[in-house]
Amino acid sequence: MLELPDKQDNPWAVLSISNSWKTLPPMLWSAQAPEFSPVEDLIDISPMALRLLQLDVQQLRTHVEGVSTLKNLHAGNILLPGMSPLAQKYAGHRHGIFNDRIGDGRSLLLGEVATPLGRMEMYLKGGGRTPYALRGDGYLGLRSAIKEYLVSHALYGIGIPTSLPLSLCNHERKIFRNQLEKSATVISLSPSHARVGHFEWLAARGSAAGMKALIAHLGGCYGEGGDMSVEQFFKHSVQR
């Protein structure tokens, strides 16, 4: 992978990044690097997302090194200092049937960024196969990526809590989704990307220790402390 240029030459280097998900039991994640895939175009960078990261919108959109770094991050050709990518493991229901073999099949948690407003997880979608991809190829079609990018911004804009896309790229690789089309990647931000399926996975495995660790982690994500009981966390989640 490429090395990140000096801080004075790159606005991304000022971010403080870690990955506390790796402190959770290994049954909840697998380390996984993104697959290299050359970027054709950086389609958009979200001003709203940049403001969440306390980055100057105008500076970054016109900063040659900054734009190049973001494209390389989408391409799987660079990681920012502190990033330690992983795929999350969870369970869920597909077509009404419980499935405990699933997880992030084409998404990776790159790391979490410390901001004055709280931590923000940075997720890369479409970066290739993971251990939980099953029969999927791990890629994301451009049409689906554009829909996700626009709808997520619309939901966020009207006050419905959701992940907020940071940037969207299309790639040189072509994939087949009912027709041949360009592949794409989306990087998104959220205080947490935890799913109901994480709890379903731990419950299916009978892991009380894992459940306690996950609840403590999520309490920290949302600034609520890590000493809530399972019952308190459930009631609080319903209220939210």
Side-chain angles (χ1 to χ4, degrees), residues 199 208-240:
F199 295 93
M211 192 78 73
K212 183 178 180 180
L214 179 59
I215 288 173
H217 173 82
L218 293 177
C221 286
Y222 290 97
E224 296 155 354
D227 55 354
M228 287 185 289
S229 68
V230 174
E231 291 77 11
Q232 287 174 323
F233 182 80
F234 175 75
K235 290 178 180 178
H236 193 70
S237 298
V238 171
Q239 290 170 355
R240 286 176 63 91

Side-chain angles (χ1 to χ4, degrees), residues 121-132:
E121 290 186 350
M122 191 177 289
Y123 237 90
L124 172 68
K125 187 172 185 178
R129 286 178 56 83
T130 78
Y132 316 119

